[in-house]
């Protein structure tokens, strides 16, 4: 590219103010996806139509973090019903996928589920999520809501700086690990010139366009019961995968009742397990036992870190598909249990779990309209481009969510046919006195509940506006007492936390700390939005 600047060379810290709007707002990690949502609103759609437009565009304009073969979750505030709805569009393991079969077939990776290839693929839920949201709450046909996504795929769009960076990282990893014939379609689809895209280059994904068109005009039936399902089945059989047509045809997304914890008068809402939103709620349930007057205080950060470690300790022990959980997950959110855990917290760092969270790739966005409808939505291939599998001639990149299953039958999250894995992607929603405040979310694997806790405390405890709540320097618990912090994290705070037993390390990779969005509705109906400064995020509004 003939440019004299590097768009990733951020020489100066910039100020970003919250955005105010009246009739509609879409906050996305991709400017094109935000524009797609705004287009739906201009055509007479509501916030749910805007969400479908943005969600279906994201596999095209940010394929480094999600795909047509992703899973999805959503929280929807219906202005008509004055109620918050939850949608779980995560897919289960195929019926042929058993621990014994994976081990006997030699499909495991040293006794664990592999990261790449067909074995890690579970039933994709995202296309069903688009159809379900449109059917239940949308105002326009699915084909109209998805029109911008199809146009982007067919006519092309310019590559954004962070998208180019993520593409290059994925390409480097895949060249090292994804070398078999089953991965050839990924290279044909995403690196047709034999190299990743540079910022400003035009990306066209014609196979995506054809597939999205088929999904749009059949309300996703083509993906689950039609030709696309048969193509997925054929690819899986060809390369020894376990996913079959019957798994796709039987799949249905689930409408679920959101779970919540009251934190200082606000109800913080999440999707129930198999999602990990309960981790954020468990941590807040502990933290509400303490008073916080200062954000930039070693005691504040220490208590946040200890609470999140306690919450993850319980989640790794119990959380999986609720149909397979050994206990009622509501018990983990009882006020007395939060108080019990808070009483265990001391003045020095402790180790509560030895689990090592992996990295991931996810897209989160939120939107609202002038009528009062609001959507918190998240979609993911799990790790970047996912399994490395792209179904031939379709552009369908399949997730590798099955990697999180355990091959130890004693574990709560052990692999089983038809079982949904512990899921990292979580949308959030904030309410007060039964009324909606607004949607929020922070994408990024096991960073997500940690990001939710930090953003919510920034807003509720420390009264930061949505943009500042997102911009504040973040920390991330990794394992044992190891914590990474952003380079902007105050050095004196880091030293104080080290004296308290936390093993702090600076991470210059800002995307690893999550990428968030947030909208707050004021009493007069005005929308106030913040968007992530760590990536290519944008707010489209009017």
């Amino acid at each position: 590219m003939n440019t004299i600047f590097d768009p990733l060379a951020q020489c100066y810290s910039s100020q970003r103010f919250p955005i105010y709007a009246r009739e509609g707002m879409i906050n996305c990690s991709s400017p094109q996806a935000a524009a797609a949502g705004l287009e739906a609103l201009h055509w007479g759609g509501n916030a749910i139509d805007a969400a479908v437009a943005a969600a279906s565009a994201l596999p095209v304009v940010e394929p480094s973090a999600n795909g047509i073969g992703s899973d999805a979750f959503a929280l929807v505030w219906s202005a008509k019903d004055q109620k918050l709805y939850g949608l779980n569009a995560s897919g289960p393991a195929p019926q042929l996928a058993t621990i014994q079969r994976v081990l006997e077939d030699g499909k495991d990776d040293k006794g664990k589920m592999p990261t790449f290839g067909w074995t890690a693929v579970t039933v994709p839920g995202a296309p069903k999520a688009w159809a379900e949201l449109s059917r239940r709450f949308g105002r326009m046909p699915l084909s109209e809501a998805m029109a911008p996504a199809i146009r982007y795929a067919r006519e092309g769009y310019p590559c954004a700086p962070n998208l180019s960076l993520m593409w290059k990282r994925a390409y480097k990893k895949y060249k090292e690990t994804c070398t078999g014939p089953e991965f050839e379609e990924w290279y044909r689809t995403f690196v047709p010139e034999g190299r990743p895209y540079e910022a400003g280059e035009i990306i066209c994904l014609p196979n995506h366009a054809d597939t999205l068109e088929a999904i749009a005009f059949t309300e996703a039936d083509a993906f689950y019961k039609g030709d696309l399902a048969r193509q997925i089945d054929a690819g899986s059989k060809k390369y020894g995968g376990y996913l079959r047509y019957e798994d796709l045809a039987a799949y249905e997304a689930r409408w679920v009742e959101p779970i919540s914890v009251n934190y200082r008068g606000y109800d913080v809402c999440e999707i129930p397990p198999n999602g990990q939103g309960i981790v954020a709620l468990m941590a807040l349930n502990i933290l509400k036992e303490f008073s916080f007057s200062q954000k930039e205080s070693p005691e504040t950060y220490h208590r946040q870190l200890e609470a999140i470690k306690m919450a993850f300790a319980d989640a790794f022990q119990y959380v999986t598909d609720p149909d397979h959980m050994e206990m009622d997950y509501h018990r983990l959110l009882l006020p007395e249990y939060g108080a019990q855990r808070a009483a265990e917290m001391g003045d020095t760092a402790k180790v509560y779990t030895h689990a090592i969270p992996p990295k991931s790739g996810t897209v989160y966005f939120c939107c609202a309209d002038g009528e009062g409808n609001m959507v918190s939505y998240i979609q993911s291939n799990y790790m970047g481009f996912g399994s490395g599998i792209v179904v031939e001639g379709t552009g369908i990149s399949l997730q590798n969510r099955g990697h999180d299953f355990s091959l130890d039958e004693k574990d709560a999250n052990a692999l089983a046919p038809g079982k949904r894995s512990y899921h990292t992607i979580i949308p959030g929603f904030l309410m007060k006195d039964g009324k909606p405040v607004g949607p929020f979310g922070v994408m990024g694997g096991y960073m997500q509940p940690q990001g939710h806790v930090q953003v919510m405390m920034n807003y509720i405890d420390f009264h930061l506006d949505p943009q500042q709540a997102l911009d504040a320097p973040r920390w991330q618990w990794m394992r044992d007492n190891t914590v990474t912090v952003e380079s902007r994290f105050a050095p004196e705070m880091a030293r104080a936390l080290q004296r308290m037993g936390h093993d702090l390390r600076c991470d210059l990779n800002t995307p690893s700390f999550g990428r968030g969005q947030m909208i707050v509705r004021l009493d007069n109906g005005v929308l106030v939005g913040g968007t992530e400064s760590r990536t290519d995020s944008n707010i489209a509004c009017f």
Side-chain angles (χ1 to χ4, degrees), residues 168-182:
K168 290 174 182 177
R169 288 179 178 174
Y171 178 68
K172 181 180 179 182
K173 179 191 295 183
Y174 283 25
K175 287 289 284 184
E176 295 170 353
T177 57
C178 299
T179 57
E182 67 270 33

Side-chain angles (χ1 to χ4, degrees), residues 257 259 272-273 278 319 322 325 327-334:
E257 192 68 29
I259 55 176
I278 195 169
V319 173
M325 284 182 68
M327 66 176 293
D328 180 358
Y329 57 78
H330 293 93
R331 289 169 53 193
L332 297 170
L333 300 178
L334 291 171

Side-chain angles (χ1 to χ4, degrees), residues 37-288:
L38 189 63
E39 197 171 322
L41 291 181
H42 278 306
W43 286 346
N46 58 20
I48 295 82
D49 296 307
V52 172
S56 57
L58 280 163
V60 178
V61 298
E62 200 173 345
S64 60
N66 75 131
I68 301 173
S70 283
D71 274 353
F73 292 89
L75 289 166
V76 179
W77 176 263
S78 167
K80 177 183 176 182
D81 301 339
Q82 289 293 292
K83 182 179 177 181
L84 186 66
Y85 293 87
L87 179 65
N88 182 328
S90 65
Q95 289 298 321
L96 294 177
T98 65
I99 292 175
Q100 181 180 1
R101 184 162 185 176
V102 170
L103 294 174
E104 288 179 352
D105 291 348
K107 300 290 188 181
D108 62 305
D109 180 9
K110 299 178 181 178
K112 297 181 179 181
M113 285 289 282
T115 302
F116 302 109
W118 276 100
T119 304
V121 175
T122 54
V123 178
K128 184 70 77 172
W130 308 338
E132 272 296 293
L133 288 168
S134 178
R135 177 193 65 79
R136 185 162 188 176
F137 295 111
R139 186 176 294 155
M140 58 173 53
L142 183 61
S143 57
E144 292 184 15
M146 291 180 61
I150 297 167
R151 187 178 69 244
Y152 286 137
R154 204 176 301 284
E155 298 179 6
Y157 65 94
C159 185
N162 279 283
L163 176 59
S164 173
L165 177 64
M166 295 299 105
W167 217 301
K168 290 174 182 177
R169 288 179 178 174
Y171 178 68
K172 181 180 179 182
K173 179 191 295 183
Y174 283 25
K175 287 289 284 184
E176 295 170 353
T177 57
C178 299
T179 57
E182 67 270 33
F183 302 109
E184 290 177 1
E185 187 69 9
W186 186 90
Y187 295 98
R188 282 193 288 267
T189 300
F190 293 116
V191 285
E193 302 295 326
R195 61 170 179 79
Y197 292 95
E198 298 290 345
E201 289 188 312
I202 300 298
I203 300 170
C204 292
L205 298 168
N207 290 342
H208 282 62
D210 293 340
T211 293
L212 289 169
E213 202 165 55
I215 292 170
F217 284 94
T218 64
E219 297 187 347
D221 277 355
F223 188 92
Y224 293 98
K225 298 178 181 179
D227 288 343
L228 294 173
R230 283 184 276 273
Q231 287 173 271
I232 295 170
D233 176 273
S236 180
K237 289 176 179 175
K238 181 178 180 180
Y239 294 109
Y242 302 123
L243 186 61
R244 295 293 183 268
Y245 177 92
E246 291 76 14
D247 297 308
L248 296 162
Y251 179 69
E252 294 293 340
R254 297 186 185 184
W255 290 98
V256 296
E257 192 68 29
I259 55 176
S260 65
V261 157
N262 189 273
Y263 184 79
R264 316 222 192 278
Y266 288 86
D267 291 312
V268 182
C269 306
E270 302 274 358
I271 292 281
N274 55 317
Q276 65 170 347
I278 195 169
V279 175
L281 298 186
M282 285 191 285
L284 291 172
N285 197 36
I286 296 167
L287 290 164
K288 71 181 183 182

